[in-house]
Amino acid sequence: NLEAQVSIMQPVPVKRLEGGDEEVIRLQPQMWMPNKDGNSEQEYGESLVHRYRLASHEEADGDATETRFICRFHTLKAGKSKELSAAPQLDDIILGETLSVAPYNYELLTYRKPGSQSMLTRPESPTAKGGSGTAPHNSAVWNAMHHFRCPVPEDLVGAVKSGSSVVDDVASIYVDVVPIRTYPRDTREGYIKGVAPDKLENRFDPDLEWGRNQVLPLVEASGRWANFPI
């Protein structure tokens, strides 16, 4: 089952919600949040982190037309434990947030290959009419390398470049990588920025597939790869 792997190789456009928690509640009133009154413990909008929604290429932010991961940079600080007998608690201090950048568009490369298939080809079901259950996945994808990078926030570039954030071979800055989860696109044309819709046989319509209120969950409520040292 390669649906999850193919999905994170297909870029998606997102838009930051400048209205913060209040806009999230307006768009998705049933979404879980730590505090439903619009004043959650974490501040959004003009702060170091944001809330996002899925969007079209035209609506997406300039740095978010082809992304797939939220990259949250943070450090850890020893805090006070709530109980005297307990060990000190580590507080998570957020330092910044960026969106992943891929060296190329995997969906576009697949589309440009003569006679290529879609990135996701499902094996035939043995119970389907004429199905053998042995049809393979797309061999150009299943063992492909997946490259992307998380841009370092401008405020942290100096410390990372100089190495001053590493003390006694121990990093003090970490990054969490949060996949933006969607269903995989299973047409050869996919949803590719810059390819005119009238040139495609099967046009992907983000408003139809995602709607205009598809808010991404909080990072704290999302599955993620956490604490990569920098």
Side-chain angles (χ1 to χ4, degrees), residues 2 6 10 106-107 109-113 115-122 136-142 184-192 202:
L2 295 180
V6 170
Q10 296 174 334
Y106 295 93
E107 209 165 30
L109 261 62
T110 303
Y111 174 73
R112 283 179 170 174
K113 290 179 180 179
S116 64
Q117 300 174 300
S118 63
M119 290 184 69
L120 178 67
T121 53
R122 296 179 174 89
H137 281 292
N138 189 338
S139 60
V141 173
W142 75 267
R185 296 184 282 269
D186 58 4
T187 63
R188 175 174 172 265
E189 294 82 3
Y191 186 45
I192 304 170
N202 299 290

Side-chain angles (χ1 to χ4, degrees), residues 6 18 21 34 47 57 65 81 88 99-100 102 110 113 118 124 155 174 183 188-189 205:
V6 170
E18 299 301 332
D21 288 353
S47 64
H57 289 142
T65 56
S81 175
L99 295 168
S100 68
T110 303
K113 290 179 180 179
S118 63
E124 296 174 356
D155 292 345
Y174 303 86
Y183 288 110
R188 175 174 172 265
E189 294 82 3
D205 187 340

Side-chain angles (χ1 to χ4, degrees), residues 93-156:
I93 310 298
I94 298 172
L95 302 176
E97 197 172 84
T98 61
L99 295 168
S100 68
V101 178
Y104 39 80
N105 187 322
Y106 295 93
E107 209 165 30
L108 176 60
L109 261 62
T110 303
Y111 174 73
R112 283 179 170 174
K113 290 179 180 179
S116 64
Q117 300 174 300
S118 63
M119 290 184 69
L120 178 67
T121 53
R122 296 179 174 89
E124 296 174 356
S125 169
T127 59
K129 184 177 180 180
S132 63
T134 59
H137 281 292
N138 189 338
S139 60
V141 173
W142 75 267
N143 63 347
M145 297 292 289
H146 187 192
H147 295 275
F148 66 92
R149 64 183 177 88
C150 284
V152 176
E154 290 185 10
D155 292 345
L156 303 179

Side-chain angles (χ1 to χ4, degrees), residues 10-26:
Q10 296 174 334
V12 293
V14 299
K15 182 176 179 60
R16 293 175 177 85
L17 301 179
E18 299 301 332
D21 288 353
E22 291 183 0
E23 187 172 358
V24 173
I25 293 172
R26 179 179 63 81

Side-chain angles (χ1 to χ4, degrees), residues 181-224:
R181 297 172 182 268
T182 64
Y183 288 110
R185 296 184 282 269
D186 58 4
T187 63
R188 175 174 172 265
E189 294 82 3
Y191 186 45
I192 304 170
K193 179 184 176 184
V195 177
D198 59 355
K199 300 293 184 182
L200 305 180
E201 297 177 10
N202 299 290
R203 180 185 177 187
F204 180 88
D205 187 340
D207 288 348
L208 179 63
E209 295 291 337
W210 299 329
R212 299 176 63 85
N213 300 337
Q214 189 63 44
V215 178
L216 303 184
L218 287 165
V219 167
E220 293 80 3
S222 304
R224 57 196 182 277

